[in-house]
Amino acid sequence: MSEVTVYAEKCKGCRYCAGVCNQDAISFSEKSNAAGYQFAQVDPEKCIQCGLCYTVCPDCVFEIA
Amino acid sequence: MAVTRVKPKLIGENNQYCSGCGHGILNRLVAEVLEELGRADDAILVTAVGCACMMNELWQGDNMQAAHGRAPASATAIKRLRPENIVFTYQGDGDLSSIGIAEILHATARNEKFTTIFANNGVFGMTGGQMAPTTLVGQKTTTTHFGRDPQFTGMPVKIVELLATLKPAYLARGSVDSIKNINTTKKYIRNAFEAQIDSEGFSLVEVLLPCPTNWHLTPEQALERVGSTVEAYYPLGEVVKRGE
């Protein structure tokens, strides 16, 4: 079973991933990362590892392996 | 269906692009295609000037930076001296379609056997969002406060259609505004590199990118504008297919 890893420190909070996620599994943190962006968080209960967030992410925040 | 998706090794850890910049997506697509073709180790990237040249710092393979707009001239020399390597230029619209238009026109006219990835976001990004030759009619920039007026500045340049008259090996225009268009753009990039590998001649893929910072939109609004407004003037598709 594959898992999604979120590299929160790379996230710039553009929210493209939330726009393409069919499962509504992506939310954004209330705290900011070191660069000052609210970062993406994946709900493992809802995620089906389809890879759409990886495809649209400009910053390689997501890894599915 | 669960899939495996891991960042290509050609892409470094942190890019310097703004939040929501389309360059990040396009850089990754190029790296993915080269790794899938098994040519990651012998590909040579040539950039020029603009936001696109920040790809140099992100790129983990061989690369060089040419003078402003002159990446096709440098790539011509590299490809002629090292025909066994994959050589490609990565240029923005402020670079390729303005100061560099002579170089790209003549590289196409000579049918040089390298590939150009042309990132079109309709503004000079790095210098603060001035009007580029590709800025749409009516679009507000820092040098067209009331929107681009075609009576004063003419019409936006369509590079792919312009170069099509010279009959290079492959020309296409893609976009990154949806998953479908991102996947199609990746196929175009693969076709372009395969045309180079088969020594068919010059290949170019134009890709429409969002620039949320200089369009003064949120990233999501900028991506929506690419799909609704930019693609209306710049139609997507293969303009010159391989073997035509």
Side-chain angles (χ1 to χ4, degrees):
Chain A
M1 191 68 188
S2 54
E3 266 187 34
V4 177
T5 310
V6 180
Y7 294 98
E9 73 281 5
K10 291 196 215 172
C11 182
K12 293 174 186 161
C14 69
R15 299 173 189 242
Y16 288 165
C17 50
V20 297
C21 182
N22 294 324
Q23 302 298 313
D24 202 18
I26 297 175
S27 60
F28 282 81
S29 65
E30 290 185 5
K31 287 184 179 175
S32 302
N33 62 15
Y37 296 105
Q38 292 177 310
F39 52 88
Q41 297 168 318
V42 174
D43 182 347
E45 297 290 316
K46 293 181 181 174
C47 179
I48 56 166
Q49 296 92 36
C50 65
L52 296 187
C53 52
Y54 168 91
T55 304
V56 83
C57 181
D59 302 302
C60 298
V61 170
F62 302 97
E63 182 177 284
I64 302 160
Chain B
M1 189 181 75
V3 294
T4 300
R5 296 280 186 273
V6 180
K7 175 178 75 66
K9 291 189 177 62
L10 279 171
I11 297 292
E13 282 304 318
N14 291 304
N15 67 47
Q16 298 182 32
Y17 304 125
C18 304
S19 173
C21 176
H23 279 300
I25 303 173
L26 185 53
N27 289 182
R28 197 196 68 232
L29 291 181
V30 174
E32 284 175 0
V33 169
L34 288 171
E35 292 193 358
E36 284 167 19
L37 290 169
R39 302 297 294 269
D41 294 335
D42 68 348
I44 301 174
L45 160 70
V46 187
T47 60
V49 172
C51 286
C53 80
M54 287 194 277
M55 187 179 180
N56 269 1
E57 294 176 37
L58 187 65
W59 196 251
Q60 302 299 301
D62 289 329
N63 63 77
M64 72 162 280
Q65 184 178 6
H68 203 343
R70 273 68 190 190
S74 300
T76 297
I78 296 171
K79 185 66 182 179
R80 288 188 177 201
L81 290 165
R82 302 186 68 92
E84 70 280 9
N85 287 64
I86 285 191
V87 179
F88 70 103
T89 76
Y90 184 89
Q91 300 174 265
D93 52 318
D95 181 71
L96 182 144
S97 67
S98 55
I99 190 170
I101 199 162
E103 278 69 22
I104 196 70
L105 267 175
H106 283 285
T108 315
R110 296 191 306 268
N111 215 6
E112 296 290 344
K113 293 177 181 57
F114 69 86
T115 301
T116 290
I117 308 297
F118 171 38
N120 180 0
N121 58 17
V123 285
F124 283 85
M126 186 176 264
T127 48
Q130 292 83 2
M131 190 197 90
T134 46
T135 297
L136 298 183
V137 171
Q139 184 178 338
K140 288 181 183 174
T141 68
T142 51
T143 47
T144 55
H145 293 178
F146 303 104
R148 180 174 181 169
D149 177 7
Q151 294 297 322
F152 185 58
T153 54
M155 291 298 285
V157 177
K158 291 183 170 178
I159 288 290
V160 166
E161 285 79 354
L162 185 68
L163 299 181
T165 58
L166 298 166
K167 300 289 177 205
Y170 185 75
L171 288 174
R173 183 185 286 118
S175 172
V176 296
D177 74 302
S178 65
I179 296 290
K180 172 175 169 279
N181 283 341
I182 291 173
N183 290 335
T184 310
T185 299
K186 188 175 169 182
K187 284 178 195 152
Y188 293 161
I189 295 170
R190 190 182 178 96
N191 281 341
F193 281 123
E194 284 177 346
Q196 178 181 161
I197 290 168
D198 293 347
S199 296
E200 293 169 18
F202 181 75
S203 52
L204 178 143
V205 180
E206 174 177 345
V207 185
L208 306 176
L209 300 183
C211 181
T213 301
N214 289 308
W215 293 358
H216 303 288
L217 298 173
T218 67
E220 289 160 303
Q221 288 169 338
L223 207 60
E224 196 274 331
R225 180 181 180 270
V226 172
S228 63
T229 310
V230 185
E231 287 172 18
Y233 185 78
Y234 290 110
L236 307 182
E238 294 175 306
V239 176
V240 176
K241 293 180 182 171
R242 291 174 67 196
E244 271 187 1

